[in-house]
Amino acid sequence: MIRLERFSFTYPGEDQPALSDLSFEVPAGQFYGLVGPNGAGKSTLCYALAGMIPHYFKGTLSGSLTVAEIDIAQSSLGELAGTIGLVFQNPFNQISGSRFSVRGEVALGLENLGVPRDQITDQVDETLEQSGLADLGERSPFALSGGQQQRLAIASILVMQPAVLILDEPTSQLDPVGTSEVYALLHQLVGQHETTVLIAEHKLERLAEFTDNVLVLNQGRLLANGPPKTVLTDPLIEEIGVQPTRYTQAARQARARGLILKKDEFPLTLQDAQEFFDDAAV
Amino acid sequence: MLRFESVHFTYPGGVEALIDLSLSIEQGERIALVGENGAGKSTLAKHMNGLLKPGRGRVLVNGEDTRRKTVAQLAHIVGYVFQNPDEQLFSNTVQDEVAFGPRNLGFSPQEVEEMVRSALEAVGLQAAASEHPYDLLPAQRKLLGIASVYAMDTPVLVLDEPTMGLDLHGTRMVSSLLADCFSAGKTVILISHDLDFCAEHVERYIIMADGAVQLDAGIDSAFDDPGLLERAGLEPPQLARLARALGIQETPGTVVDFLAMWEKHRRRRSS
Amino acid sequence: MSTPTLYLPRDSRLHHLHPLTKLALIGLAIVAGATLPVTLWVIAVYLLILMPLAAWGKVLPAFLRSSLLLIWPFALSLTLIQGFFAPGEHILLQLGPLSLKLEGIQLAADYTARILVWLSAVILLMLITRPDQLMLALTERGLPRQIGYIILTALQIIPRFQQRAETILDSQRARGLETEGNLVKRLRALVPLVAPLILSSILELDERAIALEARGFTRAGPRTSLTTLKDTAPQSAFRWLSLIVMLLLILARAAGWMTA
């Protein structure tokens, strides 16, 4: 569904490419995580996948990037809208500002696509229901909490039934309650939809819950691409500046101090860690 | 150091943000102020440097009523790092930005220079001293925001979400800056949702909900009441959850603590 | 956070009128307020047209509160300025070199009445019309979509802008910025307050533009709308009639057919 071949991108006036020689594929319907330290190029990659690069942010491209069989560089943002959705960090900045109700806000994308009114009504209702916003339909988008606003931002994209959904650290500005709300919604997506999802996230415990695969980016390059349990417990992660879970850290330290001898696989989640330390205790 | 005596505060819109809140914070304490958005954490913190004055009750900073002090005067005692650096940075260079606070406090040019140098060093931005703040990465701007208040060398430092958006490198910078504060005997108050980070640095948790302090405790009893945590929108830190899952009675703050507790627990079980 | 719109949702016949019909009603009141030659007639527009309309729309208390709250500064300043400085013969009160004259008071009353009609007509429109529906009606009639968008967004973003300005003020004061004191001090305080406001707003605009792009805002091709505005033949006829009456009023005034 997403395919990059030797894709590079350099912002105007910069010597170093922001994305360098990236090649990877995301099969349809898969849920991919994206991690890397600050400045690794995660946001740039998200923008490129959504076509904001090169159509909003200019720069020099090489290689190829196709999403849903569309060559991004040859397309336009208007054509991509509805096929590729983008959600980013600040929920407030994603509210159009031109709608006075949550319902109207969700409908905006479909209106821009010229979808007939009956169909808009159906799709909006369904999406509101799915994203847990049905009771807030007549509220002002500005009267919502951060978590609700971010769910609204996601709903406003989902309603267009995109083939691909790109999320750039969607919970980084939310409190734990808001974060849980957003993840509950994403969880639902995994089961119900054939949407292909790529999410940049630094809360590794969350990624562990439901990603099929994780990409690791550092200085614009792809360092690793594999299942979360392998990739996110790799010492490499910590070396490049990604905070591992405390479970992984505790286990690795236990091993380093010789408290635990046999284990080579380090835990990523609470459940893994419990098993890890319980086994070692016997 | 800081004393809240039956403080009530109501916003002009009529929202009661603090209800009969009493609290006392001593010099050198390391505190996490936690709770859901809207619980009253920021309102409470803004009373510490006089940005807000109590409607009823009083707030004493170093024994003096904040109502009789200006914010600029209280800025000598309480440094406050706001969450979003973009709502603060205005200078043409990184070093000017950091110099702003110390200059306002009336330090001499030599002192200011020294304070700027050590603050930039503390967050690893020495090399960027002459750059424009907006040419920095967002995470670097965040560190700059912290440095610009740290430079003021106040005995009390309040940090609102200091690790938000920071990677491991940035988080470690904040950790070492906090360590410097602790060794200098400063009072540090973290307002944060990042309890994993808090657990590694603080010794006292003030859990707020509905405009009141719900629990004021050390790590051993801060996460005992699941109902309260739910109400305050909190999830215990990862190591605390792991310790509980393993049946360890104590609550670890750091990985080192955890391993020591686990060793003890393991020995007890095998004997 | 609230939006700075006065709109009050009520189940009234007035609310259900097409936004352009409401606009025509309000336009009529404004033109009448500008062209009617006699002060009493202007006051009658307020008392006998706007107030009953507000009552019909179930927003009378809010209408009275807002219109009277806004008018008194005008009334006061006009009375003082016109009362003392407009030329006139009938002196009501002598205060040293200043004299309060009847003609001035009459002039002030006339201006105040007209301003009252204009202000309260706009207030009434805002009380009974959802801004997005009004914009929808206008864009359907050819107003460029971008302009409609900018107006609506401005309405909703302004409170956020204020809030951010307050946060910036707080954060600089916390760094020891003195915002009180003499003019030089205050002017010097301006840069740390205004610069972050502008810079952070630019960053925000960029993100908002991207979010809109991702939802097809600049896509070519026809658009649809979730909300439809109900219009009727009598309403359309009424709007044409209002337009004619407005033109007649202006013409009559300009040609001097109506005099006090």
Side-chain angles (χ1 to χ4, degrees), chain A residues 101-277:
Chain A
S101 70
V102 166
R103 263 182 81 80
E105 181 70 19
V106 173
L108 181 68
L110 296 178
E111 295 174 350
N112 287 336
L113 296 182
V115 173
R117 200 170 68 88
D118 294 346
Q119 204 182 324
I120 295 184
T121 311
D122 291 348
Q123 275 174 246
V124 168
D125 285 341
E126 195 193 314
T127 309
L128 286 175
E129 194 64 51
Q130 185 192 16
S131 46
L133 294 169
D135 294 338
L136 305 172
E138 295 310 315
R139 281 267 197 101
S140 161
F142 292 90
L144 304 182
S145 70
Q148 291 168 337
Q149 278 183 348
Q150 194 61 298
R151 279 190 286 148
L152 171 59
I154 296 172
S156 302
I157 293 293
L158 281 183
V159 75
M160 298 161 84
Q161 300 178 340
V164 174
L165 178 62
I166 310 291
L167 303 121
D168 185 5
E169 302 197 7
T171 65
S172 71
Q173 303 196 1
L174 303 180
D175 63 7
V177 177
T179 302
S180 300
E181 284 175 21
V182 167
Y183 271 98
L185 172 57
L186 292 178
H187 247 305
Q188 243 184 42
L189 265 182
V190 183
Q192 292 175 357
H193 274 251
E194 283 112 62
T195 320
T196 307
V197 182
L198 185 136
I199 180 169
E201 175 63 88
H202 56 244
K203 295 168 188 159
L204 302 196
E205 202 184 1
R206 299 285 186 177
L207 279 185
E209 283 177 51
F210 52 79
T211 47
D212 299 305
N213 228 36
V214 174
L215 305 167
V216 182
L217 210 58
N218 188 39
Q219 298 184 329
R221 293 178 179 277
L222 188 64
L223 280 197
N225 176 357
K229 278 204 175 166
T230 323
V231 171
L232 298 179
T233 55
D234 194 314
L236 173 93
I237 291 278
E238 195 166 349
E239 278 162 34
I240 62 168
V242 174
Q243 170 82 60
T245 64
R246 264 57 174 190
Y247 310 125
T248 313
Q249 284 181 314
R252 206 178 293 131
Q253 284 237 19
R255 176 72 204 257
R257 295 173 173 210
L259 302 176
I260 288 171
L261 295 174
K262 283 176 225 146
K263 296 271 180 178
D264 278 322
E265 264 184 30
F266 293 113
L268 178 60
T269 61
L270 174 61
Q271 204 186 346
D272 296 347
Q274 192 183 344
E275 282 169 24
F276 180 96
F277 284 99

Side-chain angles (χ1 to χ4, degrees), chain A residues 52 56-57 78 81 88 92-100 105 107-108 111-112 114-115 117 120 142 156, chain C residues 1 5 131-132 149 152-153 156 160 204 206-210 213 215-217 219 222-226 228:
Chain A
M52 296 303 158
Y56 188 89
F57 297 108
F88 43 89
F92 176 83
N93 291 353
Q94 298 173 75
I95 294 175
S96 73
S98 68
R99 296 307 155 102
F100 286 70
E105 181 70 19
L108 181 68
E111 295 174 350
N112 287 336
V115 173
R117 200 170 68 88
I120 295 184
F142 292 90
S156 302
Chain C
M1 189 171 41
T5 62
D132 51 342
Y149 174 78
L152 289 175
T153 311
Q156 300 208 76
R160 166 72 182 182
E204 177 185 315
D206 232 2
E207 288 207 340
R208 201 175 294 279
I210 292 169
E213 289 288 3
R215 291 157 74 187
F217 190 68
R219 184 180 167 278
R223 282 169 164 74
T224 46
S225 174
L226 172 67
T228 45

Side-chain angles (χ1 to χ4, degrees), chain B residues 50 53 61 64-74 77:
Chain B
K53 308 275 161 105
V61 173
E64 294 199 75
D65 194 325
T66 57
R67 261 175 303 206
R68 284 197 283 277
K69 295 275 171 190
T70 66
V71 179
Q73 286 168 330
L74 290 165
I77 304 165

